Amino acid sequence: MLKVFICEDEIGTLHSISNIINTYCPDAMVCGSARSVEEALLNLPTVKFDLLLLDVNFPDGTGFDILKGMQAGDFKLIFITAHEEYAVKAIKLSASDYLLKPLDPKELISSIEKVKHEIKDES
C-alpha cells in the first residue's frame, strides 16, 4: 500500500486530492495532511509515508521550505501547484511529477501509478 502525505493549504483542493486517491487509487491511502509549512514540519517526522504531494505556496512559506526543514527520507515527491515557474527547481529536486492546478484527476491518478512503478522498479 502506497502511503501518501498531502501538503496543501486550500481545503477544497486538499479534499479533492484525498477523494481522488480514495476513489481511484485502491493501492494508495492518505496517511496524513498539513495545511501550512509549520504544520507540515511538525507532522511529517511522525508519519511513515512513501509519497509527498506538495503545493508550492503556503501562507507561512513554501513547499521548498518544507523540504529544507525535513530530514532526508526515502520518499517520492509530486508537486501540485498553480505556478509553472517552479518546475525547473522541482526537477532539480528529483520530483517524480509536477502537476498544475486546476488539477486534472486523470493526471494525478497517472502520476500516482508512475510513482508506484518507480518504487517497484527500485525494490
Side-chain angles (χ1 to χ4, degrees):
M1 180 71 65
L2 183 74
K3 294 179 184 168
V4 182
F5 194 98
I6 306 167
C7 294
E8 170 61 58
D9 64 317
E10 298 172 11
I11 192 74
T13 304
L14 176 62
H15 286 304
S16 177
I17 292 168
S18 294
N19 287 337
I20 292 166
I21 293 169
N22 292 335
T23 304
Y24 299 105
C25 302
D27 295 334
M29 65 173 269
V30 176
C31 65
S33 65
R35 296 188 53 215
S36 69
V37 171
E38 181 182 8
E39 186 180 1
L41 292 175
L42 285 173
N43 291 328
L44 283 166
T46 67
V47 179
K48 170 72 175 114
F49 61 95
D50 306 301
L51 172 61
L52 179 61
L53 300 181
L54 186 61
D55 191 4
V56 172
N57 286 327
F58 292 86
D60 60 341
T62 70
F64 299 107
D65 296 330
I66 293 171
L67 294 172
K68 285 179 199 168
M70 294 174 58
Q71 292 186 357
D74 186 23
F75 61 89
K76 298 294 182 182
L77 175 64
I78 295 174
F79 282 90
I80 301 175
T81 182
H83 303 277
E84 294 178 5
E85 63 268 24
Y86 299 108
V88 171
K89 191 170 184 178
I91 291 167
K92 289 182 178 181
L93 291 170
S94 300
S96 295
D97 213 337
Y98 194 89
L99 305 177
L100 291 174
K101 295 176 185 175
L103 185 61
D104 179 344
K106 290 178 183 175
E107 286 185 2
L108 178 59
I109 295 163
S110 175
S111 291
I112 290 172
E113 286 299 316
K114 176 181 162 186
V115 165
K116 288 191 321 192
H117 289 295
E118 288 174 4
I119 290 171
K120 183 180 175 189
D121 290 346
E122 291 170 3
S123 340

